[in-house]
């Protein structure tokens, strides 16, 4: 099985942001060829992969009836990387948010990029991700940009890295988010994003397709229908996701296999997209050992191979190369690479994502409008 290399530049999440801004009249590229609109609303559903949605049309009739296609998320297929691609309009190699947990070069520590925590020195979001966001560029062009989502996200380091420039509207309940969207869409040329995350968190715990997950999908479907009803005349709503998901049937526990810990300085990434940071001189041995243990279950490649194969985009900025593991281990079967001691909570996840498989990479891009 070959990796599904994301369609950077033509049909990836990184291409969606510039296309949305072009739709409301901002100068720039429109790689997805979105039609002009007086206002645009982006409904981002965490974890709603295209294949997952396609499997349950009866649970999500409104979404299933919407016209559209698919995009690729980017690598890794995870919230940190995908939202940074949406927030900058760049592939991962251009914005540097290259995974869930990344080494902070020169410190010997990992940064959890979603929670923005590290046992080492504090990491300044604007230094870790210095590229101007699409929201900053839009605001400078006179386009009102708003983000509607849980209030607890507003001041996080992650938001300061990828959502700089938005007017944040804290809204915890579905009704409050719909009200926040309605208010934000009142402005001409508005660009509004609204986020829903409980589908993904439920999938992690109970697996995608479980009764609890299907209940969440039904809620998302109703929310999408209600959001469509808020659109002023001449507006468009797009629905997408940051990644898909697979259900794990096989676990490789790094903390139970001493051979997999040998030569490792840090174990980064997450269970479907591992960054392996090696002690000096050990990268070749780590590569060989992990290839042997994970044969038939994962792609195990060097940093150089991953970069040159375009996993992170056409290129990676030189100063960000040390953020990538010396070796990467990326399962393509229903396997998760867990660490039961170091990451006990995540080790129990049933639903996981991050890899270069269709179930994790393909996300929907659905459209409805009042044009």
């Amino acid at each position: 099985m070959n990796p599904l290399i994301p369609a950077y530049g033509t049909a990836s999440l990184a291409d969606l942001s510039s296309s949305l801004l072009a739709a409301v009249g901002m100068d720039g590229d429109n790689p997805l060829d979105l039609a002009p609109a007086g206002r645009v609303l982006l409904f981002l559903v965490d974890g709603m992969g295209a294949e997952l949605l396609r499997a349950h049309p009866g649970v999500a009739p409104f979404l299933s009836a919407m016209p559209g296609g698919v995009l690729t998320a980017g690598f890794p297929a995870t919230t940190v990387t995908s939202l940074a691609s949406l927030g900058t309009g760049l592939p991962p190699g251009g914005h540097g948010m290259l995974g869930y947990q990344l080494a902070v070069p020169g410190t010997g520590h990992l940064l959890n990029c979603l929670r923005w925590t590290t046992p080492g020195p504090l990491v300044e979001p604007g230094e870790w991700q210095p590229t101007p966001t699409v929201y900053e560029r839009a605001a400078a062009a006179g386009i009102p940009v708003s983000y509607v989502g849980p209030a607890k996200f507003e001041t996080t380091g992650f938001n300061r890295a990828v959502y700089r420039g938005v007017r944040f509207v804290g809204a915890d309940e579905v009704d409050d988010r719909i009200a926040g969207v309605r208010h934000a869409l009142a402005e001409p040329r508005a660009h509004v994003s609204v986020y829903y995350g409980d589908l993904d968190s439920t999938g992690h715990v109970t697996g995608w397709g479980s009764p609890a997950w299907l209940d969440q999908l039904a809620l998302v479907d109703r929310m999408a229908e209600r959001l469509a009803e808020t659109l002023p005349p001449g507006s468009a709503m797009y629905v997408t996701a940051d990644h898909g998901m697979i259900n794990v049937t096989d676990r490789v526990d790094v903390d139970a296999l001493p051979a997999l810990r040998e030569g490792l300085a840090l174990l980064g990434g997450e269970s479907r997209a591992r960054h392996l940071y090696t002690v000096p001189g050990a990268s070749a041995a780590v590569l060989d050992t992990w290839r042997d243990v994970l044969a038939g279950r994962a792609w195990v490649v060097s940093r150089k191979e991953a970069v040159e194969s375009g996993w992170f985009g056409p290129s990676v900025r030189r100063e960000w190369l040390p953020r990538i593991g010396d070796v990467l281990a990326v399962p393509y079967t229903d396997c998760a690479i867990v660490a039961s001691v170091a990451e006990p909570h995540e080790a129990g996840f049933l639903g996981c994502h991050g890899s270069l498989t269709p179930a994790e990479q393909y996300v929907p891009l659905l459209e409805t409008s009042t044009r």
Side-chain angles (χ1 to χ4, degrees):
M1 182 174 181
N2 294 320
L4 173 59
I5 306 300
Y8 301 119
T10 57
S12 75
L13 284 176
D15 305 304
L16 178 55
S17 294
S18 57
S19 296
L20 289 171
L21 290 172
V24 291
M26 183 170 165
D27 291 338
D29 294 335
N30 186 357
L32 302 182
D33 197 27
L34 301 186
R39 300 166 177 84
V40 294
L41 169 63
L42 178 65
F43 182 23
L44 178 66
V45 184
D46 201 321
M48 191 178 70
E51 293 196 351
L52 281 57
L53 176 61
R54 192 177 299 122
H56 295 286
V59 178
F62 182 79
L63 290 170
S64 298
M66 289 177 67
V70 298
L71 302 174
T72 50
F75 180 75
T78 196
T79 301
V80 163
T81 305
S82 292
L83 266 59
S85 293
L86 283 169
T88 62
L90 297 172
H95 57 64
M97 303 286 277
L98 301 162
Y100 176 63
Q101 298 179 96
L102 298 176
V104 182
T107 69
H109 297 296
L110 293 171
L111 171 67
N112 184 308
C113 296
L114 189 61
R115 299 172 184 163
W116 215 262
T117 56
T118 175
L122 293 175
V123 176
E124 171 55 43
E127 294 178 4
W128 186 261
Q129 197 301 99
T131 305
T133 69
V134 295
Y135 314 112
E136 290 174 307
R137 302 200 299 270
I143 296 173
V145 282
S146 301
Y147 171 89
V148 183
K152 66 182 180 181
F153 292 164
E154 181 171 6
T155 59
T156 64
F158 174 70
N159 263 34
R160 287 167 26 225
V162 305
Y163 279 111
R164 291 192 302 270
V166 301
R167 181 181 64 188
F168 191 94
V169 181
D172 295 331
E173 303 300 325
V174 169
D175 287 349
D176 295 331
R177 289 183 209 179
I178 291 170
V181 166
R182 183 181 293 109
H183 179 75
L185 284 174
E187 297 185 81
R189 299 182 74 200
H191 177 302
V192 182
S193 299
V194 58
Y195 171 85
Y196 188 81
D198 290 353
L199 185 74
D200 178 68
S201 57
T202 301
H204 281 308
V205 175
T206 67
W208 81 270
S210 67
W213 187 90
L214 292 173
D215 286 345
Q216 282 293 320
L217 181 60
L219 190 155
V220 166
D221 192 65
R222 292 192 295 272
M223 186 173 173
E225 187 170 11
R226 293 177 64 190
L227 286 168
E229 293 169 354
T230 72
L231 293 176
S235 304
M237 179 177 84
Y238 295 91
V239 183
T240 194
D242 52 349
H243 54 74
M245 182 173 282
I246 63 99
N247 287 340
V248 171
T249 61
D250 174 29
R251 288 178 173 82
V252 174
D253 187 355
V254 177
D255 289 334
L257 296 171
L260 294 184
R261 278 290 182 186
E262 189 171 345
L264 278 191
L266 294 169
L267 177 68
E270 58 196 296
S271 68
R272 296 281 294 173
R274 284 295 185 186
H275 288 266
L276 313 179
Y277 304 94
T278 64
V279 300
S283 60
V286 169
L287 181 65
D288 289 343
T289 297
W290 280 67
R291 277 182 173 165
D292 287 343
V293 172
L294 292 169
R297 291 189 279 187
W299 299 295
V300 181
V301 302
S302 68
R303 174 194 296 151
K304 185 173 185 289
E305 289 175 288
V307 170
E308 291 183 352
S309 296
W311 287 15
F312 299 100
S315 64
V316 177
R317 284 173 57 166
R318 182 181 300 273
E319 63 268 33
W320 291 340
L321 288 172
R323 297 181 184 181
I324 301 172
D326 299 285
V327 175
L328 292 100
V330 181
Y332 54 81
T333 62
D334 294 342
C335 171
I337 304 169
V338 304
S340 59
V341 176
E343 302 168 359
H345 178 63
E346 291 87 346
F349 282 173
L350 179 55
C352 298
H353 53 79
S355 184
L356 289 161
T357 70
E360 293 155 281
Q361 278 295 321
Y362 285 133
V363 296
L365 181 62
L366 310 175
E367 178 185 2
T368 187
S369 74
T370 56
R371 294 188 188 93

